[in-house]
Amino acid sequence: MRKLTTNIMLGGVGGQGLILMTRIICQAALKDGYDVKSNDVVGLSQRGGMVWGNVRIGEKIYSPNIPPGDADILVSMEPIEALRWSSILKKDGKIILNIKRFYPTLVQQEKYEYPEEDIENLKSTYQVTEINAFEEAKNIGKKQVSNVILLGILAKHIDIKMDTWKDTIKDNVPYKSIEMNLEAFDYGYNYQGK
């Protein structure tokens, strides 16, 4: 029997492929017979600012908005975003954490310190899977597939068929990069974590 609802929060910075990831999750869920609602906030993406989105998957979904404390999974494409959005997670929530840092302007200007300790402390409250998706993606072929590696890790926690995921990836990436994206997805799906 399918779980009633899965709530997924995605957070990152502009240029990391959050919109593509959201679209693939939604389309795969729809193809597999779920009702889906989502929203994205991407206004700051052009300047490398924060972007985020919600995806809710279930038998019947009425709103894309996830109430605080109700998210099952947080996909954080940058560590500060894990810290920023952690309050939306359930107490036993999962964080898929890309540990590649994109330092905010105020940190670069040495006006603030990067909150390393606070990010590390997330592990005491949530189930955290860490990966440097950026570096792993470069090993596969291009840093641009780091979001698909994270998608592969996420796929382990959602009741959607593997063929559906792969068909949806094929439908959403350029033809020339299909094999590389499928390799990135498989890498994430088989990643054992730290």
Side-chain angles (χ1 to χ4, degrees), residues 3 5-8 70-74 89-90 92-94:
K3 186 178 173 198
T5 303
T6 301
N7 295 321
I8 305 159
D70 250 13
D72 298 289
I73 305 166
L74 167 59
L89 280 166
K90 293 178 177 175
D92 60 345
K94 297 174 177 65

Side-chain angles (χ1 to χ4, degrees), residues 3 5-11 21-22 25-26 29 36-40 52-57 64-66 70-76 88-89 94 96 151 154-155 157-160 165:
K3 186 178 173 198
T5 303
T6 301
N7 295 321
I8 305 159
M9 177 76 200
L10 300 101
M21 183 187 283
T22 302
I25 296 166
C26 291
V36 180
K37 299 285 185 289
S38 72
N39 62 11
D40 294 310
W52 68 92
N54 294 330
V55 179
R56 302 188 71 222
I57 301 169
N65 299 320
I66 302 172
D70 250 13
D72 298 289
I73 305 166
L74 167 59
V75 180
S76 177
I88 201 166
L89 280 166
K94 297 174 177 65
I96 299 167
L151 182 67
L154 173 68
H157 304 289
I158 304 175
D159 184 20
I160 293 174
W165 282 115

Side-chain angles (χ1 to χ4, degrees), residues 8 54 70 97 101 114 116 147 167-168:
I8 305 159
N54 294 330
D70 250 13
L97 176 62
R101 279 125 173 87
Y114 197 86
E116 301 283 358
N147 60 335
D167 289 345
T168 307

Side-chain angles (χ1 to χ4, degrees), residues 16-17 22-24 35 38 46 55 61 90 107-108 117 120 124 128 131 139 150 167 191:
Q16 290 185 296
T22 302
R23 183 167 62 236
I24 291 171
D35 188 17
S38 72
Q46 296 301 315
V55 179
I61 305 295
K90 293 178 177 175
V107 172
Q108 292 176 25
E117 188 176 331
E120 185 67 22
S124 65
V128 179
I131 184 171
N139 293 335
L150 297 173
D167 289 345
Y191 182 71

Side-chain angles (χ1 to χ4, degrees), residues 64-146:
N65 299 320
I66 302 172
D70 250 13
D72 298 289
I73 305 166
L74 167 59
V75 180
S76 177
M77 302 171 90
E78 202 285 333
I80 285 180
E81 299 309 313
L83 190 58
R84 184 187 320 273
W85 295 108
S86 60
S87 64
I88 201 166
L89 280 166
K90 293 178 177 175
K91 295 219 181 296
D92 60 345
K94 297 174 177 65
I95 299 176
I96 299 167
L97 176 62
N98 181 18
I99 61 171
K100 169 68 176 161
R101 279 125 173 87
F102 292 87
Y103 295 103
T105 303
L106 293 175
V107 172
Q108 292 176 25
Q109 294 172 345
E110 299 179 355
K111 293 183 179 177
Y112 288 99
E113 286 187 22
Y114 197 86
E116 301 283 358
E117 188 176 331
D118 294 333
I119 292 166
E120 185 67 22
N121 288 339
L122 292 171
K123 295 177 189 174
S124 65
T125 307
Y126 305 104
Q127 301 172 47
V128 179
T129 301
E130 291 184 330
I131 184 171
N132 188 331
F134 186 83
E135 288 302 319
E136 300 300 341
K138 286 198 301 188
N139 293 335
I140 289 169
K142 284 195 172 181
K143 62 185 179 184
Q144 286 87 345
V145 297
S146 61

